Amino acid sequence: MGVAKYTKDEKGAIKEVIYQSGIKVKPVYGPEDLEKAGFTYEQDLGAPGDYPFTRSLHPQSYRSRAWTTRQYTGFGTPEETNKRFKLMIANGQNGLNVAFDLPTQMGYDSDHPLAEGEVGRVGMAIDSLKDFETAFAEIPLDRIGSGLTINGVATIMMAMYQATAEKFGYSKDQISTTPQNDILKEMIGRGAWIFPVEHGVRLVGDSIEYAVKELPKSNPVSICGYHIRESGATPAQEIAYAFEIAKAYIDTVTARGIKPEDFVGRFSFNFNVYGNLWEQIAKFRAARKLWAKMLKTEYGVTDKKKLFLRGLFGGGGSGLTKEQPENNIMRSAYYALGAALSGAQTTALCSFDEAYTIPTPRSALLSLRTLEILMDEVGLRDTVDPLAGSYFIETLTLEMEEKIIEEMEEVQKWGGMTKSISEGFIQRKVSRQAYEYEKGLQSGEYRKVGIVPTSESGNRPEQETQKTDVELHEYNQEWAEKSKVNLIELRRTRNDKDVSDSLKALEKAARGTDNVMPYLVTCCHAYATVGEMAGVFRDVFGEWNEPEFY
Amino acid sequence: METTNKIRVLIAKPGLDGHDKGAKIVALALRDAGMEVIYSGLHQTLNQIIQTATQEAVDVIGLSIMSGAHLPICKRLITMMKEQGLDDIRLIVGGVIPYQDIPELKEMGVAAVFPGGISFEDIITGMNKLFE
Amino acid sequence: MPEIVAILQGNQRAGARMIRLLEQGKLEALTLLKQLYPHSGNAFIIGITGSPGVGKSTLIDDLITVFRKQSKRVAVIAVDPSSPFSGGAILGDRLRMQRHATDKNVFIRSMASRGQTGGLSRATKDAAIVMDAMGYDIILIETVGAGQGEFDIATLAHSTGIVRIPGTGDGIQAVKAGILETGDVYIVNKCDRPDVDASVHALTMMIGMQNMGRQTSHPSPKWTPPVVKTNALKGTGVDELADTFLSHFDFLKKHNLTDQTKRNQETLYFKSLLKDLTLAKIHSFMETSPAYKSVLKRIQTHEMDPISAAEHVVNTMIILK
Ligand SMILES: Nc1nc2c(ncn2[C@@H]2O[C@H](COP(=O)(O)OP(=O)(O)O)[C@@H](O)[C@H]2O)c(=O)[nH]1
Ligand SMILES: [Mg+2]
């Protein structure tokens, strides 16, 4: 039953509940539980907006402002993306979130053999500054911020963004961009990595350092516990691994003589709301508290605002089922409720048909409406942190904090996040868990509505899904053709010497210790392609070899 | 000397998509069903897949495809398999595969399709059936 | 059936299928192997052993690169343990070598240990013969440690490299206890880690002690196993490692030691084959012989005790011609 472990007696009464993070839940909680855990209001909660921010980052939370929502856009060609951007801005959106196609994410140009069949498929295809100029034409880059969903070549896209703004007459201190730029999580989860671990981390370091010095309004990294959870991590591990990743980035930047106080305020997080409702709420409350405590005690950060765990808490895709996709609409609504009860600043939901393909406009709109119903209709904005003081929630929050710390300590025992990933400790643990969980789902030990355990034979999910009817995105071969034509044109018209000079300078920087960012900006201005810039990195750094996962 | 015929299967992720959770847990499930699984990792080109299948003399190539590009990928791979004389190797596909695409995949020569959400048991039974 | 000519020409498809048949224990494959055997014996076989995770596969990936630069054709047999529960296996060593997958002069074959915990079965030897006959100059065999398998890596390879990592307590204690196996080359990998020099020092001392022991029992020319430091992730030290292996091979050839190795190997191989073939005979006897079935019946009806029955069958019915 559920995504936790339930033991029942013969009459069906619940005997024992164990959450995925490993916490046992009692049938009833009372004041004695808080007492036993040594709970105090000042230490463990504090007023909303006060350290350690368990309740909320802001004193008034949703009273003063509802959460912001994000929608991913980025379609096939830069032209189409631009149209969509303009439409969104006209509809009142003040932030854009750009998705890139796989070749761009992996640092290949659209005419690379590996790009075949993938150009523009899951996002916008970018080959050179020309494409960025098209995508962001007539967008007020001093007012609109952009999230760039890119990791392996995040440095290149940041440089593109700056170069584009400069082309359009903005200065680099006016623009605001948030690349995802979390390469370590790619190595645990999403798989869009290119270079070996230490070089990947160095690039993250370069971009943070550059942002600190040159891009005052940009947030150089968004750490994604979200994808770690999707890969099979428990909620406690999701937070623990994200924090250990953050520490790896902090350490690499501090090693360059920059104080944590000067940059940690620019970190943001992307977490997953999927699983048991209470466990999720406790997770986020514990995470806000722990992050603030960690920055304060371990890194000596004093400015209150820099202790904030900022970020997006979004509905998890792996919670959704392919079977009976309509159920996902309801499921996502409850994830959103969890996010609201956790005080999420920003949220987003997966579309109900995402288990099939990238969301269709109809399903994307449904997600948006779900969020509106919560905020504008049923009363989630009424009061700050409505669950505070619940015997259960407060006990669970404390237990969750302990679990997270335990998981972090294990990573430290392995030698820190960089090493744990490069040797595969995390991947092995997470994929084993994913396997066990999947087996549990199939045997009926865990339960997701719509999935029929194999033990109950005769009614296989296959039979139900066969009937389901979902809209599917079509892939458009023309996108690839167009990109290829543009590339030919670009190579014909650009100044070859500028390109090769700038690439040579980039190579020298990559081999040495210079920050690569300014060199990348020069390359972008010279219309070097993504594939050429990433190619320089590939030559200098090599490619990562993933460790065994079993 | 052991004379049992264990099914040897290559699990591969073709192309650039990096969502490998499905491929990994299926590899684990096949191992636990007594098969020998060669895991070649992410970002494989079709040529790498062909050469690996050749050198390993596998019975089955199992592709995990989540990007939606299953039709063109399978088509290309099957052509290449024919060119290389790998006609005794079965191709199976899993991942994000809409049910309406299954007939077309079968038509082009895919031996079995296991769309996401299908149980391990069904995958294993389906694979064993290929060798009855 | 794979074609002998194609195998001898180095056709990977044919060679791979041959190895598959041998691994499946198909007796008819032995008939074919017999034809390949005279064409083997030219490859330099290198064993790479060490505990899981020390970096064997990564090192082999680097060694392939080095040997390929020298225009040598390289084959790899990577042995990974089978699951003791299901008998299945995930074979992931080639994950680290995949960039060589499309090089026509590289042939990588993964192999499950199939119950030979940590050791090697006859199938490994068979595969090596096929690769050898296919014309590969170098055959690298990856396996976890010296195990209890039928074939110790040292009896399969000309040269055995033992991979260790810094700070794992290899020390005099282990030598005294006789735990450490003997290699021809010792490799301290992950030398980007602390405590490298301590490990190298401990190993060097250990080799010294072993050599003292050796001298008395071995009058033959002495090879002192060198200790090579590597960082497989960066490929540092791997050129030197490759050279070390090659010079060991030269050493063996110079002192006619390859013949001795070969003799030892052939004896072992012979014994192993004898066992397998005999067993196969017995199996087929048990399946087909009516006389056997009647003995079985007599056991079941208590006319004969199992011990006498077994003696009777072996002495009177199974004829090894
Ligand atoms: N730091 C470091 N890591 C290494 C080195 N060589 C291998 N590794 C890592 O160690 C892990 C195990 O390597 P692998 O070659 O699979 O080991 P095997 O089990 O002995 O074959 C992988 O994560 C490698 O990236 C090295 O020289 N230095
Ligand atoms: Mg290995």
Side-chain angles (χ1 to χ4, degrees):
Chain A
M1 197 170 85
V3 292
K5 266 206 174 106
Y6 290 84
T7 321
K8 294 186 189 170
D9 67 13
E10 60 284 353
K11 286 189 202 133
I14 294 171
K15 285 280 137 213
E16 190 182 72
V17 185
I18 304 172
Y19 286 166
Q20 282 192 303
S21 302
I23 296 168
K24 220 184 236 178
V25 181
K26 307 201 310 177
V28 181
Y29 287 80
E32 68 282 0
D33 292 296
L34 291 181
E35 203 172 305
K36 209 167 82 197
F39 173 88
T40 67
Y41 186 82
E42 295 71 31
Q43 240 187 51
D44 292 311
L45 289 185
D50 280 352
Y51 182 85
F53 313 108
T54 314
R55 302 199 60 186
S56 165
L57 298 179
H58 298 289
Q60 293 284 312
S61 191
Y62 299 145
R63 271 281 180 134
S64 52
R65 216 176 67 171
W67 54 24
T68 45
T69 67
R70 289 216 194 138
Q71 271 185 294
Y72 286 90
T73 24
F75 288 92
T77 59
E79 287 81 5
E80 275 181 84
T81 307
N82 183 255
K83 262 189 246 157
R84 178 57 75 111
F85 282 169
K86 284 179 179 159
L87 186 76
M88 288 169 75
I89 292 167
N91 287 342
Q93 197 96 10
N94 49 14
L96 303 171
N97 235 338
V98 188
F100 297 92
D101 70 355
L102 284 170
T104 309
Q105 289 184 44
M106 294 300 297
Y108 293 116
D109 289 336
S110 299
D111 58 355
H112 192 280
L114 277 168
E116 199 181 314
E118 293 291 355
V119 177
R121 190 185 280 277
V122 300
M124 172 165 69
I126 296 295
D127 290 321
S128 76
L129 188 64
K130 277 253 153 48
D131 301 317
F132 250 67
E133 289 167 7
T134 310
F136 290 96
E138 294 155 45
I139 308 284
L141 293 177
D142 52 344
R143 286 194 294 111
I144 301 285
S146 305
L148 307 173
T149 312
I150 193 118
N151 297 277
V153 291
T155 45
I156 297 177
M157 290 305 141
M158 268 173 94
M160 284 272 184
Y161 196 79
Q162 179 189 327
T164 310
E166 285 167 352
K167 274 259 144 76
F168 291 158
Y170 303 100
S171 66
K172 57 183 187 253
D173 52 7
Q174 286 179 299
I175 54 168
S176 159
T177 177
T178 305
Q180 203 162 70
N181 203 12
D182 178 7
I183 197 59
L184 289 176
K185 75 97 195 324
E186 291 293 332
M187 292 169 158
I188 301 175
R190 248 179 105 255
W193 41 259
I194 309 172
F195 317 113
V197 184
E198 81 254 37
H199 300 288
V201 171
R202 179 245 170 123
L203 289 178
V204 175
D206 278 7
S207 55
I208 297 173
E209 180 185 25
Y210 186 73
V212 171
K213 294 179 177 157
E214 307 287 342
L215 305 172
K217 285 170 69 185
S218 292
N219 299 310
V221 61
S222 175
I223 295 152
C224 300
Y226 182 95
H227 301 106
I228 299 171
R229 170 90 174 116
E230 293 282 298
S231 310
T234 68
Q237 287 163 355
E238 172 191 356
I239 304 293
Y241 296 168
F243 286 181
E244 285 295 325
I245 287 177
K247 282 167 69 177
Y249 298 155
I250 294 175
D251 293 343
T252 190
V253 178
T254 8
R256 303 170 184 213
I258 304 171
K259 285 204 307 288
E261 181 98 36
D262 295 340
F263 64 91
V264 291
R266 307 236 219 137
F267 280 24
S268 68
F269 289 89
N270 183 345
F271 286 123
N272 201 315
V273 193
Y274 149 52
N276 180 285
L277 182 68
W278 315 115
E279 192 183 14
Q280 297 309 307
I281 296 168
K283 173 181 85 179
F284 288 119
R285 298 173 91 243
R288 265 197 300 268
K289 177 180 173 190
L290 224 109
W291 179 245
K293 268 166 71 173
M294 196 175 91
L295 290 185
K296 193 168 175 173
T297 55
E298 280 178 49
Y299 291 101
V301 178
T302 52
D303 182 348
K304 185 170 144 183
K305 287 223 155 107
K306 291 178 178 160
L307 302 174
F308 284 4
L309 180 90
R310 289 174 217 272
L312 178 143
F313 307 165
S318 66
L320 309 187
T321 59
K322 200 176 173 212
E323 296 76 17
Q324 307 174 5
E326 296 82 1
N327 292 353
N328 295 330
I329 301 172
M330 270 68 83
R331 211 171 254 130
S332 291
Y334 296 119
Y335 295 164
L337 175 67
L341 291 172
S342 312
Q345 284 182 300
T346 306
T347 193
L349 292 179
C350 288
S351 302
F352 74 91
D353 53 5
E354 219 168 78
Y356 278 89
T357 177
I358 40 178
T360 54
R362 182 173 78 107
S363 60
L365 191 67
L366 250 168
S367 303
L368 203 64
R369 295 291 175 256
T370 308
L371 297 175
E372 282 173 9
I373 291 170
L374 280 172
M375 283 291 134
D376 302 344
E377 200 172 311
V378 302
L380 267 299
R381 285 186 66 180
D382 298 354
T383 187
V384 182
D385 190 24
L387 297 184
S390 148
Y391 301 127
F392 172 44
I393 291 295
E394 296 304 356
T395 310
L396 192 60
T397 304
L398 287 172
E399 286 174 332
M400 202 65 189
E401 185 182 342
E402 246 170 67
K403 279 285 166 206
I404 298 169
I405 291 171
E406 253 172 53
E407 299 285 357
M408 288 175 71
E409 280 169 354
E410 184 173 47
V411 176
Q412 286 151 23
K413 219 178 59 206
W414 286 332
M417 203 34 132
T418 312
K419 186 165 169 222
S420 300
I421 288 176
S422 121
E423 302 249 335
F425 293 119
I426 306 273
Q427 297 93 313
R428 275 193 286 278
K429 185 158 179 158
V430 167
S431 52
R432 202 174 322 123
Q433 285 175 182
Y435 177 47
E436 293 304 325
Y437 180 66
E438 188 58 36
K439 277 201 291 191
L441 267 179
Q442 294 183 9
S443 69
E445 184 185 3
Y446 296 113
R447 173 142 166 74
K448 273 207 267 182
V449 175
I451 295 188
V452 185
T454 41
S455 53
E456 295 164 28
S457 57
N459 186 15
R460 289 289 165 77
E462 193 180 348
Q463 284 153 14
E464 282 188 65
T465 31
Q466 255 159 348
K467 287 187 246 115
T468 54
D469 187 25
V470 287
E471 279 178 68
L472 290 173
H473 256 287
E474 284 294 321
Y475 175 66
N476 194 340
Q477 185 61 37
E478 274 170 34
W479 295 333
E481 299 311 325
K482 193 149 189 267
S483 293
K484 282 187 202 171
V485 171
N486 288 346
L487 266 172
I488 294 170
E489 179 65 13
L490 177 88
R491 295 205 176 100
R492 206 175 53 79
T493 52
R494 64 184 183 174
N495 182 328
D496 288 341
K497 187 168 181 320
D498 287 355
V499 175
S500 67
D501 286 354
S502 64
L503 288 173
K504 261 188 219 125
L506 177 65
E507 186 189 329
K508 196 158 161 245
R511 278 195 205 287
T513 54
D514 270 13
N515 193 313
V516 296
M517 285 303 302
Y519 297 93
L520 284 170
V521 175
T522 311
C523 291
C524 291
H525 275 299
Y527 294 98
T529 66
V530 173
E532 288 164 343
M533 289 182 268
V536 167
F537 289 158
R538 279 193 160 90
D539 285 347
V540 176
F541 301 148
E543 294 194 28
W544 193 45
N545 243 342
E546 49 182 323
E548 290 166 356
F549 70 87
Y550 49 91
Chain B
M1 184 168 64
E2 209 166 339
T3 51
T4 42
N5 272 349
K6 288 187 198 310
I7 295 181
R8 251 173 105 76
V9 47
L10 166 64
I11 296 287
K13 288 242 4 144
L16 302 177
D17 169 54
H19 292 91
D20 56 359
K21 180 169 91 173
K24 285 173 170 174
I25 64 179
V26 166
L28 289 165
L30 297 184
R31 176 198 64 188
D32 289 350
M35 300 185 198
E36 289 182 350
V37 183
I38 290 112
Y39 186 78
S40 63
L42 281 177
H43 310 149
Q44 296 291 296
T45 62
L46 295 189
N47 194 20
Q48 276 177 313
I49 292 172
I50 290 282
Q51 297 311 326
T52 303
T54 303
Q55 293 171 10
E56 299 286 358
V58 293
D59 305 302
V60 183
I61 299 175
L63 299 181
S64 163
I65 307 174
M66 319 282 281
S67 72
H70 44 277
L71 290 171
I73 289 175
C74 290
K75 202 166 188 166
R76 276 275 309 284
L77 193 71
I78 286 170
T79 312
M80 290 170 78
M81 284 168 73
K82 283 193 185 125
E83 281 164 11
Q84 299 290 318
L86 304 183
D87 24 74
D88 60 336
I89 299 180
R90 327 288 158 96
L91 176 64
I92 63 174
V93 188
V96 182
I97 317 283
Y99 276 85
Q100 56 261 43
D101 288 349
I102 294 179
E104 192 175 340
L105 287 166
K106 290 259 173 88
E107 184 88 6
M108 65 174 77
V110 174
V113 183
F114 303 113
I118 201 163
S119 71
F120 294 145
E121 200 182 302
D122 285 350
I123 296 176
I124 291 157
T125 317
M127 285 181 64
N128 282 323
K129 236 187 229 148
L130 297 177
F131 297 97
E132 268 166 14
Chain C
M1 277 291 138
E3 284 181 47
I4 293 298
V5 182
I7 296 174
L8 290 175
Q9 283 168 350
N11 181 305
Q12 290 193 343
R13 171 96 177 120
R17 288 173 66 166
M18 177 77 187
I19 292 171
R20 183 76 209 278
L21 289 174
L22 288 160
E23 194 183 34
Q24 286 171 334
K26 297 255 158 63
L27 286 178
E28 57 275 26
L30 277 181
T31 324
L32 293 170
L33 191 62
K34 209 158 46 184
Q35 297 173 50
L36 292 181
Y37 196 79
H39 300 274
S40 70
N42 306 309
F44 173 33
I45 304 176
I46 301 174
I48 303 285
T49 85
S51 312
V54 292
K56 299 180 295 295
S57 304
T58 317
L59 273 170
I60 289 181
D61 175 59
D62 292 332
L63 284 171
I64 299 174
T65 310
V66 175
F67 288 134
R68 286 299 297 132
K69 274 201 202 118
Q70 303 170 1
S71 298
K72 293 189 163 66
R73 303 180 63 219
V74 188
V76 177
I77 304 172
V79 184
D80 251 352
S82 297
S83 154
F85 306 105
S86 70
I90 296 184
L91 309 172
D93 289 321
R94 72 175 296 139
L95 204 66
R96 330 213 122 268
M97 312 166 194
Q98 227 11 30
R99 61 179 160 148
H100 299 293
T102 54
D103 180 342
K104 294 280 181 209
N105 290 306
V106 176
F107 181 7
I108 302 166
R109 175 56 151 82
S110 313
M111 200 169 255
S113 65
R114 299 205 174 171
Q116 305 276 354
T117 32
L120 303 167
S121 63
R122 209 198 80 215
T124 318
K125 171 72 182 171
D126 293 344
I129 293 171
V130 176
M131 290 168 161
D132 197 336
M134 285 172 80
Y136 287 95
D137 302 304
I138 305 239
I139 301 172
L140 291 149
I141 302 178
E142 169 177 347
T143 170
V144 282
Q148 296 85 45
E150 242 189 303
F151 288 86
D152 197 352
I153 184 68
T155 64
L156 254 185
H158 297 105
S159 216
T160 307
I162 296 185
V163 189
R164 315 216 157 259
I165 50 175
T168 41
D170 300 335
I172 306 304
Q173 256 58 30
V175 185
K176 281 188 183 148
I179 297 168
L180 285 177
E181 59 274 64
T182 47
D184 303 303
V185 178
Y186 289 85
I187 303 154
V188 179
N189 188 38
K190 308 202 185 185
C191 69
D192 46 321
R193 299 255 190 98
D195 298 332
V196 186
D197 292 330
S199 282
V200 173
H201 181 70
L203 274 171
T204 315
M205 274 177 70
M206 185 203 81
I207 293 161
M209 287 168 68
Q210 278 181 341
N211 260 11
M212 281 194 286
R214 253 187 210 179
Q215 257 172 330
T216 47
S217 60
H218 260 270
S220 50
K222 202 178 64 187
W223 166 264
T224 305
V227 181
V228 183
K229 287 194 279 185
T230 56
N231 174 347
L233 279 187
K234 291 225 155 66
T236 38
V238 180
D239 281 313
E240 191 197 333
L241 179 61
D243 286 347
T244 309
F245 278 126
L246 291 174
S247 60
H248 181 234
F249 194 42
D250 287 342
F251 172 88
L252 292 177
K253 283 192 290 200
K254 191 169 138 217
H255 296 100
N256 288 322
L257 291 170
T258 43
D259 286 345
Q260 188 188 319
T261 320
K262 190 166 178 188
R263 275 197 300 278
N264 293 342
Q265 287 184 0
E266 290 196 315
T267 312
L268 252 167
Y269 190 43
F270 160 68
K271 285 184 186 166
S272 167
L273 282 162
L274 196 60
K275 225 165 40 193
D276 288 346
L277 292 177
T278 312
L279 221 71
K281 273 238 154 68
I282 295 172
H283 278 304
S284 96
F285 167 76
M286 292 195 321
E287 262 160 37
T288 52
S289 158
Y292 169 77
K293 298 233 159 81
S294 83
V295 171
L296 256 191
K297 198 168 268 158
R298 279 158 73 191
I299 298 172
Q300 275 149 19
T301 54
H302 306 296
E303 279 169 66
M304 236 179 159
D305 72 278
I307 302 168
S308 322
E311 279 175 354
H312 174 70
V313 169
V314 170
N315 292 335
T316 65
M317 295 181 189
I318 297 178
I319 302 149
L320 295 170
K321 269 195 265 194

